[in-house]
Amino acid sequence: MRFALLAPIVVLALTSPAAGQDDGIPRLGDHQFVPVPTIAEPFMTTFVQTQVDLAFTFDSQLPVYSAADSTELGLVDVNQAFTALAFRYQHRVQDWLVVQTEVGFLGRLGTDTSSIVASGITGALMYELGWMIRMARTESTMLSGSLALGSNTATFVDPLGWANSIIEGEPARLVVSRSSLAGTGGLHGAWALGRRFGLLGAMKASYGEAFDSQGENGWHTDARAALSYDAEQDLRIPVGLALTGGWAENETTGDTDARRWFWSLRIAAKGRSDFTVGLQLGVSYFESKDRDDPLKLFETGIDMRYYY
């Protein structure tokens, strides 16, 4: 099925993109926007992008439960590391239509024994295919809508759950793999406030299957915005800054993290009109149904995007 979904992308990649004015780093009015990989932008451009992210927990704790009766025994300091690798390709078919595909890998591992036992190890492979249509455009604004279908496969190593199952006399599995399918719709906007500043925003809602065995099919909602600053106007060097904030909530989870708040700062070098490379630094807070204090993460990443 995945190869069938990829077929249209291969065909499109062998053709030339439709002629239009959305070539290179996006611009509306007098403002050249700073590309922000964490926001699905509304622009009808053709590009390829790679992104590598790392994240580490800080000042965070997780509850530990009794293997005999599942009562909470207390809290342990959690030290986890996350890594993510993503590849994204967007192809402009017409001035009003683009096709998008993204493949990503996410890994999670405790950095000490207590963290591994309490939270286990996770590896996930994600694939998404979608379309975006330009709905409206003026000299300084643009609004687009998108539809996408995503497939996710995750493998969990759960030592604590495995031990609990053995004690309770239930079938025990140390390694569990699960898959999910979700459909997503979104709105994406951009507004050039002037030569120096611009705003980017995106709202998405998806309905899909649950990863967690205690979760149910449900909705995942996501809203985020970014302030784009073309620092070249003041510093006379080809650099841009973007300040991003957002919120996400997942109804498909059981006892796992269900709500996320995040902020980040991106610094991008854009010496060429068709290529950018950027560094991103940020903080995330994950709120959980079974935890009073949020799980806190420091995040950093680097990305490269080439327009053609």
Side-chain angles (χ1 to χ4, degrees), residues 3 129 199:
F3 292 104
L129 174 66
L199 290 175

Side-chain angles (χ1 to χ4, degrees), residues 116-184:
I116 294 176
V117 172
S119 59
I121 302 170
T122 302
L125 180 65
M126 298 158 282
Y127 173 77
E128 185 175 80
L129 174 66
W131 300 262
M132 185 166 63
I133 298 175
R134 187 175 67 202
M135 302 169 62
R137 176 170 183 168
T138 68
E139 183 178 353
S140 61
T141 63
M142 182 180 290
L143 178 67
S144 300
S146 66
L147 291 173
L149 182 65
S151 173
N152 304 298
T153 301
T155 300
F156 304 90
V157 180
D158 184 9
L160 192 59
W162 174 71
N164 283 336
S165 297
I166 292 177
I167 292 174
E168 294 172 2
E170 299 177 353
R173 296 180 62 184
L174 179 61
V175 181
V176 178
S177 294
R178 299 191 182 100
S179 297
S180 70
L181 190 67
T184 303

Side-chain angles (χ1 to χ4, degrees), residues 30 61 68 71 88-89 121 126 129 135 144 157 159 197 222 234 261 279 282 292-293 302:
D30 294 329
Q61 294 181 319
T71 58
R88 183 181 180 193
Y89 175 66
I121 302 170
M126 298 158 282
L129 174 66
M135 302 169 62
S144 300
V157 180
F197 296 100
D222 184 297
D234 297 311
W261 303 86
L279 173 67
D292 292 331
D293 297 325
I302 188 169

Side-chain angles (χ1 to χ4, degrees), residues 243-282:
L243 182 63
T244 304
W247 163 89
E249 185 167 0
N250 194 348
E251 295 180 356
T252 64
T253 55
D255 293 332
T256 55
D257 299 316
R259 188 177 294 111
R260 177 191 178 208
W261 303 86
F262 51 93
W263 301 267
S264 66
L265 173 66
R266 183 171 187 268
I267 306 170
K270 52 187 185 68
R272 292 171 44 176
S273 64
D274 60 353
F275 179 77
T276 66
V277 58
L279 173 67
Q280 188 158 291
L281 303 172

Side-chain angles (χ1 to χ4, degrees), residues 69-236:
D69 55 12
S70 297
T71 58
E72 184 175 330
L73 300 178
L75 298 173
V76 296
D77 293 331
V78 59
N79 297 293
Q80 293 182 340
F82 297 77
T83 182
L85 174 64
F87 171 84
R88 183 181 180 193
Y89 175 66
Q90 176 172 296
H91 186 92
R92 186 177 69 232
V93 183
Q94 297 292 335
D95 287 345
W96 51 271
L97 172 66
V98 296
V99 179
Q100 304 166 322
T101 185
E102 184 170 358
V103 179
F105 172 79
L106 173 67
R108 177 179 64 90
L109 174 67
T111 57
D112 56 33
T113 302
S114 62
S115 297
I116 294 176
V117 172
S119 59
I121 302 170
T122 302
L125 180 65
M126 298 158 282
Y127 173 77
E128 185 175 80
L129 174 66
W131 300 262
M132 185 166 63
I133 298 175
R134 187 175 67 202
M135 302 169 62
R137 176 170 183 168
T138 68
E139 183 178 353
S140 61
T141 63
M142 182 180 290
L143 178 67
S144 300
S146 66
L147 291 173
L149 182 65
S151 173
N152 304 298
T153 301
T155 300
F156 304 90
V157 180
D158 184 9
L160 192 59
W162 174 71
N164 283 336
S165 297
I166 292 177
I167 292 174
E168 294 172 2
E170 299 177 353
R173 296 180 62 184
L174 179 61
V175 181
V176 178
S177 294
R178 299 191 182 100
S179 297
S180 70
L181 190 67
T184 303
L187 288 174
H188 318 269
W191 180 19
L193 303 176
R195 185 179 296 273
R196 290 177 173 81
F197 296 100
L199 290 175
L200 292 167
M203 297 181 63
K204 290 184 177 182
S206 62
Y207 185 83
E209 301 167 320
F211 266 136
D212 194 292
S213 60
Q214 301 178 28
E216 299 178 353
N217 295 355
W219 289 94
H220 175 88
T221 51
D222 184 297
R224 55 189 70 192
L227 176 65
S228 168
Y229 169 50
D230 187 1
E232 186 175 3
Q233 302 299 321
D234 297 311
L235 303 180
R236 304 306 176 190

